[in-house]
Amino acid sequence: CLQIISEARENRVTDEAMGRARHVLSMDPGNAVALYYLAQGLRERDDWSCAELVLEDFVRVWPQFKDGWTELARVKDHLGRSE
């Protein structure tokens, strides 16, 4: 909830929210919310390659979540890796 509030207020994923996501992932590597927010934050900071890696983990863990596939396709397209 705090991540969503800070994102709405800042209009982006904050550094603090990214830190929380990384912390959560250190304890629970399959946490869908943390993976998604971390990928979004990386993309917003133009770290497209790392965002791709995180989103690949996300869709492996949560293949039924369509937004993850959509974001992964956008990132791959940006990187010229469309399949």
Side-chain angles (χ1 to χ4, degrees):
C1 277
L2 291 175
Q3 289 175 334
I4 294 169
I5 292 168
S6 68
E7 181 185 355
R9 188 178 324 126
E10 299 290 329
N11 202 28
R12 67 182 182 86
V13 176
T14 63
D15 292 339
E16 182 181 359
M18 286 182 66
R20 279 193 213 117
R22 285 186 172 107
H23 178 73
V24 168
L25 290 169
S26 72
M27 296 180 293
D28 179 10
N31 186 289
V33 174
L35 286 167
Y36 195 78
Y37 269 98
L38 181 57
Q40 182 179 343
L42 290 165
R43 183 182 45 79
E44 289 172 356
R45 287 158 179 79
D46 292 323
D47 194 345
W48 296 88
S49 294
C50 284
E52 179 185 30
L53 293 173
V54 173
L55 285 165
E56 286 173 346
D57 286 345
F58 179 86
V59 298
R60 216 176 355 267
V61 174
W62 296 96
Q64 69 278 16
F65 191 67
K66 287 191 259 182
D67 286 351
W69 289 103
T70 301
E71 285 302 310
L72 180 57
R74 285 184 188 146
V75 169
K76 285 186 175 290
D77 185 57
H78 178 84
L79 293 169
R81 298 182 186 149
S82 299
E83 297 170 5

